[in-house]
Amino acid sequence: ADGTVRRPTAIPLTELPAGARAVVVRVSDAQADVLRECAACGVRPGVVLGAADRLSDRVRAAVWVAPAAGGPG
C-alpha cells in the first residue's frame, strides 16, 4: 500500500440517468443542515437510490453515487 486513498468511481446523484439505480458512496458534510436532511431521509453510504426517488434538490446535490449491482432497472 502506498497510502493513497482510493475512492470508488462516483457521479453526483444529480447526474444519474433517468431510470437508473445507484449506491450512495459519499454524502457531503459541507452543510450541517443538508447532512441532517440526508440522515432524516435515510440517505447514507450503502443505500441504493433511483433517479426517480423523491429527494430535495439540496439532498441530490450532496450525494455521490456509483452504479448499483445489476445495473439500471
Side-chain angles (χ1 to χ4, degrees):
D2 62 7
T4 302
V5 176
R6 299 189 198 289
R7 291 187 173 169
T9 301
I11 61 168
L13 180 57
T14 55
E15 295 178 15
L16 189 64
R21 299 194 60 74
V23 178
V24 175
V25 295
R26 286 197 309 260
V27 177
S28 173
D29 62 356
Q31 296 178 300
D33 57 331
V34 177
L35 187 58
R36 282 191 294 274
E37 186 177 346
C38 289
C41 294
V43 176
R44 63 185 180 283
V47 170
V48 177
L49 297 176
D53 287 354
R54 294 182 183 198
L55 300 168
S56 73
D57 290 342
R58 291 165 22 116
V59 168
R60 289 183 173 282
V63 174
W64 287 72
V65 296

Coordinates of all heavy atoms in Angstrom, one line a residue:
A1 N 0.8 -1.2 0.0 CA 0.0 0.0 0.0 C 0.9 1.2 0.0 O 1.9 1.3 0.7 CB -0.9 0.0 1.2
D2 N 0.5 2.2 -0.8 CA 1.3 3.4 -0.9 C 0.7 4.6 -0.2 O 1.2 5.7 -0.3 CB 1.5 3.8 -2.4 CG 0.2 4.1 -3.1 OD1 -0.9 4.1 -2.4 OD2 0.2 4.3 -4.3
G3 N -0.4 4.3 0.6 CA -1.0 5.4 1.4 C -2.0 6.2 0.6 O -2.6 7.1 1.2
T4 N -2.2 5.9 -0.6 CA -3.2 6.6 -1.4 C -4.6 6.2 -1.1 O -4.9 5.0 -1.0 CB -3.0 6.3 -3.0 OG1 -1.7 6.7 -3.3 CG2 -4.0 7.1 -3.8
V5 N -5.5 7.2 -0.8 CA -6.9 6.9 -0.6 C -7.6 6.7 -1.9 O -7.5 7.5 -2.8 CB -7.6 8.1 0.2 CG1 -9.0 7.8 0.4 CG2 -6.9 8.3 1.5
R6 N -8.2 5.6 -2.1 CA -8.9 5.2 -3.3 C -10.4 5.4 -3.1 O -11.0 4.8 -2.2 CB -8.6 3.8 -3.7 CG -7.1 3.6 -4.0 CD -6.9 2.2 -4.6 NE -5.5 1.8 -4.5 CZ -4.5 2.3 -5.1 NH1 -4.6 3.4 -6.0 NH2 -3.2 1.9 -5.0
R7 N -11.0 6.2 -3.9 CA -12.4 6.5 -3.8 C -13.1 5.7 -5.0 O -12.6 5.7 -6.1 CB -12.8 7.9 -4.0 CG -12.3 8.7 -2.8 CD -12.8 10.1 -2.9 NE -12.5 10.8 -1.6 CZ -12.7 12.1 -1.5 NH1 -13.0 12.9 -2.5 NH2 -12.4 12.7 -0.3
P8 N -14.2 5.1 -4.8 CA -14.9 4.5 -5.9 C -15.3 5.5 -6.9 O -15.5 6.7 -6.6 CB -16.2 3.9 -5.2 CG -16.2 4.3 -3.8 CD -15.0 5.1 -3.5
T9 N -15.4 5.0 -8.2 CA -15.9 5.9 -9.2 C -17.3 6.3 -8.9 O -18.1 5.5 -8.6 CB -15.8 5.2 -10.6 OG1 -14.5 4.7 -10.8 CG2 -16.3 6.0 -11.7
A10 N -17.5 7.6 -8.9 CA -18.8 8.1 -8.5 C -19.2 9.3 -9.3 O -18.4 10.0 -9.8 CB -18.8 8.4 -7.0
I11 N -20.5 9.5 -9.4 CA -21.1 10.7 -10.0 C -22.0 11.4 -9.1 O -22.6 10.7 -8.2 CB -21.8 10.4 -11.3 CG1 -23.0 9.4 -11.1 CG2 -20.8 9.8 -12.4 CD1 -23.9 9.3 -12.3
P12 N -22.3 12.7 -9.2 CA -23.3 13.3 -8.4 C -24.7 12.7 -8.7 O -25.0 12.3 -9.8 CB -23.3 14.7 -8.8 CG -22.0 14.9 -9.5 CD -21.6 13.6 -10.1
L13 N -25.5 12.5 -7.7 CA -26.8 11.9 -7.9 C -27.6 12.8 -8.9 O -28.4 12.2 -9.7 CB -27.6 11.9 -6.5 CG -29.0 11.4 -6.6 CD1 -29.0 9.9 -7.1 CD2 -29.6 11.4 -5.2
T14 N -27.3 14.0 -9.0 CA -28.0 14.9 -10.0 C -27.7 14.5 -11.4 O -28.5 14.9 -12.3 CB -27.6 16.4 -9.8 OG1 -26.1 16.5 -9.9 CG2 -28.0 16.9 -8.4
E15 N -26.7 13.7 -11.6 CA -26.3 13.3 -13.0 C -26.7 11.9 -13.3 O -26.4 11.4 -14.4 CB -24.8 13.4 -13.2 CG -24.3 14.9 -13.2 CD -22.8 15.0 -13.3 OE1 -22.2 14.1 -13.8 OE2 -22.3 16.1 -13.0
L16 N -27.4 11.2 -12.4 CA -27.8 9.8 -12.6 C -28.9 9.8 -13.7 O -29.9 10.6 -13.6 CB -28.4 9.3 -11.3 CG -28.7 7.8 -11.3 CD1 -27.4 7.0 -11.5 CD2 -29.4 7.4 -10.0
P17 N -28.7 9.0 -14.7 CA -29.7 9.0 -15.8 C -31.1 8.5 -15.3 O -31.2 7.7 -14.4 CB -29.1 7.9 -16.8 CG -27.7 7.8 -16.4 CD -27.6 8.1 -15.0
A18 N -32.1 9.0 -16.0 CA -33.5 8.6 -15.7 C -33.6 7.1 -15.7 O -33.1 6.4 -16.6 CB -34.5 9.2 -16.7
G19 N -34.3 6.5 -14.7 CA -34.5 5.1 -14.7 C -33.4 4.3 -14.0 O -33.5 3.1 -13.8
A20 N -32.2 4.9 -13.8 CA -31.1 4.2 -13.3 C -31.2 4.1 -11.7 O -31.8 4.9 -11.1 CB -29.8 4.9 -13.7
R21 N -30.5 3.1 -11.2 CA -30.3 3.0 -9.7 C -28.8 3.0 -9.4 O -28.0 2.5 -10.2 CB -31.0 1.7 -9.3 CG -32.5 1.8 -9.6 CD -33.3 0.7 -8.9 NE -33.3 0.8 -7.5 CZ -34.0 1.7 -6.7 NH1 -34.6 2.6 -7.2 NH2 -33.9 1.6 -5.4
A22 N -28.5 3.5 -8.2 CA -27.1 3.5 -7.9 C -27.0 3.5 -6.3 O -27.9 3.7 -5.6 CB -26.5 4.8 -8.4
V23 N -25.8 3.2 -5.9 CA -25.5 3.1 -4.5 C -24.8 4.3 -4.0 O -23.9 4.8 -4.7 CB -24.5 1.9 -4.2 CG1 -24.1 1.8 -2.7 CG2 -25.1 0.6 -4.7
V24 N -25.3 4.9 -2.9 CA -24.6 6.1 -2.3 C -23.2 5.7 -1.8 O -23.1 4.7 -1.1 CB -25.5 6.6 -1.1 CG1 -24.8 7.8 -0.5 CG2 -26.9 7.0 -1.6
V25 N -22.2 6.4 -2.3 CA -20.9 6.2 -1.8 C -20.3 7.3 -1.0 O -19.3 7.2 -0.3 CB -19.9 5.8 -3.0 CG1 -20.3 4.5 -3.7 CG2 -19.9 6.9 -4.0
R26 N -20.9 8.5 -1.2 CA -20.4 9.7 -0.4 C -21.6 10.6 -0.2 O -22.5 10.8 -1.0 CB -19.4 10.5 -1.2 CG -18.0 9.9 -1.3 CD -16.9 10.8 -1.7 NE -17.2 11.6 -2.9 CZ -16.7 11.3 -4.1 NH1 -15.9 10.3 -4.2 NH2 -16.9 12.1 -5.1
V27 N -21.6 11.3 1.0 CA -22.6 12.3 1.3 C -21.7 13.5 1.8 O -21.0 13.3 2.8 CB -23.6 11.9 2.4 CG1 -24.5 13.0 2.7 CG2 -24.4 10.6 1.9
S28 N -21.9 14.6 1.2 CA -21.1 15.8 1.6 C -21.5 16.2 3.0 O -22.7 16.2 3.3 CB -21.4 17.0 0.6 OG -20.8 18.1 1.1
D29 N -20.5 16.6 3.8 CA -20.8 17.1 5.1 C -20.5 18.6 5.2 O -20.3 19.2 6.2 CB -20.0 16.4 6.2 CG -18.5 16.5 6.0 OD1 -18.1 17.1 5.0 OD2 -17.8 16.0 6.8
A30 N -20.5 19.3 4.0 CA -20.1 20.7 3.9 C -21.2 21.6 4.6 O -20.9 22.7 5.1 CB -19.9 21.1 2.5
Q31 N -22.4 21.2 4.6 CA -23.5 21.9 5.2 C -24.2 21.0 6.2 O -24.9 20.0 5.8 CB -24.5 22.5 4.2 CG -23.9 23.5 3.2 CD -24.9 23.9 2.2 OE1 -25.4 23.1 1.4 NE2 -25.1 25.2 2.2
A32 N -24.1 21.4 7.5 CA -24.7 20.5 8.5 C -26.2 20.3 8.3 O -26.7 19.2 8.6 CB -24.4 21.1 9.9
D33 N -27.0 21.3 7.9 CA -28.4 21.2 7.8 C -28.7 20.2 6.6 O -29.7 19.4 6.8 CB -29.1 22.6 7.6 CG -28.6 23.3 6.4 OD1 -27.4 23.2 6.0 OD2 -29.3 24.1 5.8
V34 N -28.0 20.2 5.6 CA -28.2 19.3 4.5 C -27.8 17.9 4.9 O -28.6 16.9 4.6 CB -27.4 19.7 3.2 CG1 -27.6 18.7 2.1 CG2 -27.9 21.1 2.7
L35 N -26.8 17.7 5.7 CA -26.4 16.4 6.2 C -27.5 15.9 7.1 O -27.8 14.7 7.0 CB -25.1 16.5 6.9 CG -24.4 15.2 7.4 CD1 -24.2 14.3 6.2 CD2 -23.1 15.5 8.1
R36 N -28.1 16.7 7.9 CA -29.2 16.3 8.8 C -30.4 15.9 7.9 O -31.1 14.9 8.2 CB -29.6 17.4 9.8 CG -28.7 17.5 10.9 CD -29.2 18.4 12.0 NE -29.3 19.8 11.5 CZ -28.3 20.7 11.6 NH1 -27.2 20.3 12.2 NH2 -28.5 21.9 11.2
E37 N -30.7 16.6 6.8 CA -31.8 16.3 5.9 C -31.5 14.9 5.3 O -32.4 14.1 5.2 CB -32.0 17.3 4.9 CG -33.2 17.1 4.0 CD -33.4 18.2 3.0 OE1 -32.8 19.3 3.1 OE2 -34.2 18.0 2.1
C38 N -30.3 14.6 4.9 CA -29.9 13.3 4.3 C -30.2 12.2 5.3 O -30.8 11.2 5.0 CB -28.5 13.3 3.9 SG -28.1 14.3 2.4
A39 N -29.8 12.4 6.5 CA -30.0 11.4 7.6 C -31.5 11.2 7.8 O -31.9 10.1 8.0 CB -29.3 11.9 8.9
A40 N -32.3 12.3 7.8 CA -33.7 12.1 8.1 C -34.4 11.4 6.9 O -35.4 10.7 7.2 CB -34.3 13.5 8.2
C41 N -33.8 11.5 5.7 CA -34.4 10.7 4.6 C -33.8 9.3 4.4 O -34.2 8.6 3.5 CB -34.1 11.5 3.3 SG -34.8 13.1 3.1
G42 N -32.9 9.0 5.3 CA -32.3 7.6 5.2 C -31.2 7.5 4.2 O -30.8 6.4 3.8
V43 N -30.7 8.7 3.7 CA -29.7 8.7 2.7 C -28.3 8.6 3.3 O -27.9 9.6 4.1 CB -29.8 9.9 1.8 CG1 -28.7 10.0 0.8 CG2 -31.1 9.9 1.1
R44 N -27.6 7.5 3.1 CA -26.3 7.3 3.7 C -25.5 6.3 2.8 O -26.1 5.6 2.0 CB -26.4 6.8 5.1 CG -27.1 5.5 5.2 CD -27.3 5.0 6.7 NE -27.9 3.7 6.8 CZ -29.2 3.5 6.5 NH1 -30.0 4.5 6.2 NH2 -29.7 2.3 6.6
P45 N -24.2 6.3 3.0 CA -23.4 5.3 2.1 C -24.0 3.9 2.3 O -24.4 3.5 3.4 CB -22.0 5.4 2.7 CG -22.0 6.9 3.2 CD -23.3 7.1 3.8
G46 N -24.1 3.2 1.1 CA -24.6 1.9 1.0 C -26.0 1.8 0.6 O -26.5 0.7 0.2
V47 N -26.8 2.8 0.7 CA -28.2 2.8 0.4 C -28.3 2.9 -1.2 O -27.6 3.7 -1.8 CB -28.9 4.0 1.1 CG1 -30.3 4.2 0.5 CG2 -28.9 3.8 2.6
V48 N -29.2 2.1 -1.7 CA -29.5 2.2 -3.2 C -30.6 3.2 -3.4 O -31.7 3.2 -2.8 CB -29.9 0.8 -3.7 CG1 -30.3 0.9 -5.2 CG2 -28.8 -0.2 -3.5
L49 N -30.3 4.1 -4.3 CA -31.3 5.2 -4.7 C -31.5 5.1 -6.2 O -30.7 4.5 -7.0 CB -30.7 6.6 -4.4 CG -30.4 6.9 -3.0 CD1 -29.8 8.3 -2.9 CD2 -31.7 6.9 -2.2
G50 N -32.7 5.6 -6.6 CA -33.0 5.7 -8.0 C -33.1 7.1 -8.5 O -33.4 8.0 -7.6
A51 N -33.0 7.4 -9.7 CA -33.1 8.7 -10.3 C -34.5 9.3 -10.0 O -34.6 10.5 -9.8 CB -32.8 8.7 -11.8
A52 N -35.5 8.5 -9.9 CA -36.8 8.9 -9.7 C -37.2 9.1 -8.2 O -38.3 9.6 -7.9 CB -37.8 8.0 -10.3
D53 N -36.3 8.7 -7.3 CA -36.6 8.8 -5.9 C -36.9 10.3 -5.5 O -36.2 11.2 -6.0 CB -35.5 8.3 -5.0 CG -35.4 6.8 -5.0 OD1 -36.3 6.1 -5.6 OD2 -34.4 6.3 -4.4
R54 N -37.9 10.5 -4.7 CA -38.2 11.9 -4.3 C -37.3 12.4 -3.2 O -37.5 12.1 -2.0 CB -39.7 11.9 -3.9 CG -40.6 11.6 -5.0 CD -42.0 11.7 -4.6 NE -42.9 11.3 -5.7 CZ -44.1 11.6 -5.8 NH1 -44.7 12.3 -4.8 NH2 -44.8 11.3 -6.8
L55 N -36.4 13.2 -3.6 CA -35.4 13.8 -2.6 C -35.3 15.3 -3.0 O -35.5 15.7 -4.2 CB -34.1 13.2 -2.7 CG -34.0 11.7 -2.4 CD1 -32.7 11.1 -2.8 CD2 -34.3 11.5 -0.9
S56 N -35.1 16.1 -2.0 CA -34.9 17.6 -2.3 C -33.7 17.8 -3.2 O -32.8 17.0 -3.2 CB -34.8 18.4 -1.0 OG -33.5 18.2 -0.4
D57 N -33.7 18.9 -3.9 CA -32.5 19.3 -4.7 C -31.3 19.4 -3.8 O -30.2 19.1 -4.3 CB -32.8 20.6 -5.4 CG -33.8 20.5 -6.5 OD1 -34.1 19.3 -7.0 OD2 -34.4 21.5 -7.0
R58 N -31.5 19.9 -2.6 CA -30.3 20.0 -1.7 C -29.7 18.7 -1.4 O -28.5 18.5 -1.4 CB -30.8 20.7 -0.4 CG -31.1 22.1 -0.5 CD -31.9 22.7 0.7 NE -31.8 22.0 2.0 CZ -31.2 22.6 3.0 NH1 -30.8 23.8 3.0 NH2 -31.2 21.9 4.2
V59 N -30.5 17.7 -1.1 CA -30.0 16.3 -0.9 C -29.3 15.8 -2.1 O -28.2 15.3 -2.1 CB -31.1 15.4 -0.3 CG1 -30.7 13.9 -0.3 CG2 -31.6 15.8 1.0
R60 N -30.0 15.9 -3.3 CA -29.4 15.4 -4.5 C -28.1 16.0 -4.8 O -27.2 15.3 -5.3 CB -30.4 15.7 -5.7 CG -31.6 14.9 -5.7 CD -32.5 15.2 -6.9 NE -33.6 14.2 -6.9 CZ -33.5 13.0 -7.3 NH1 -32.4 12.5 -7.7 NH2 -34.5 12.2 -7.3
A61 N -27.9 17.2 -4.5 CA -26.6 17.9 -4.7 C -25.5 17.5 -3.8 O -24.3 17.6 -4.1 CB -26.8 19.4 -4.7
A62 N -25.9 16.9 -2.6 CA -24.9 16.5 -1.6 C -24.5 15.0 -1.7 O -23.6 14.6 -1.0 CB -25.5 16.8 -0.2
V63 N -25.1 14.3 -2.6 CA -24.9 12.8 -2.7 C -24.2 12.4 -4.0 O -24.5 12.9 -5.1 CB -26.3 12.1 -2.6 CG1 -26.1 10.6 -2.8 CG2 -27.0 12.4 -1.3
W64 N -23.2 11.5 -3.8 CA -22.4 10.9 -4.9 C -22.8 9.4 -4.9 O -22.8 8.8 -3.9 CB -20.9 11.1 -4.7 CG -20.6 12.6 -5.0 CD1 -20.8 13.7 -4.2 CD2 -19.9 13.1 -6.1 NE1 -20.3 14.8 -4.7 CE2 -19.7 14.5 -5.9 CE3 -19.3 12.5 -7.2 CZ2 -19.1 15.3 -6.8 CZ3 -18.7 13.3 -8.1 CH2 -18.6 14.7 -8.0
V65 N -22.9 8.9 -6.1 CA -23.4 7.5 -6.2 C -22.5 6.8 -7.3 O -21.8 7.4 -8.1 CB -24.8 7.4 -6.7 CG1 -25.8 8.0 -5.6 CG2 -25.1 8.1 -8.0
A66 N -22.5 5.4 -7.1 CA -21.9 4.5 -8.1 C -22.9 3.6 -8.6 O -23.9 3.3 -7.9 CB -20.7 3.8 -7.4
P67 N -22.7 3.0 -9.8 CA -23.8 2.1 -10.3 C -24.1 1.0 -9.3 O -23.2 0.4 -8.7 CB -23.1 1.5 -11.6 CG -22.1 2.6 -12.0 CD -21.6 3.2 -10.7
A68 N -25.4 0.7 -9.2 CA -25.8 -0.4 -8.4 C -25.6 -1.8 -9.1 O -25.6 -1.8 -10.3 CB -27.3 -0.3 -8.0
A69 N -25.3 -2.8 -8.3 CA -25.2 -4.1 -8.9 C -26.4 -4.5 -9.7 O -27.5 -4.2 -9.2 CB -24.9 -5.2 -7.8
G70 N -26.3 -5.0 -10.8 CA -27.4 -5.4 -11.7 C -27.8 -4.3 -12.7 O -28.6 -4.5 -13.5
G71 N -27.1 -3.1 -12.5 CA -27.3 -2.0 -13.5 C -28.7 -1.4 -13.4 O -29.4 -1.5 -12.4
P72 N -29.1 -0.7 -14.4 CA -30.4 0.1 -14.4 C -31.6 -0.8 -14.2 O -31.5 -2.0 -14.6 CB -30.4 0.7 -15.8 CG -29.1 0.7 -16.3 CD -28.4 -0.5 -15.7
G73 N -32.6 -0.2 -13.7 CA -33.9 -1.0 -13.5 C -34.4 -1.1 -12.2 O -34.6 -1.1 -11.2

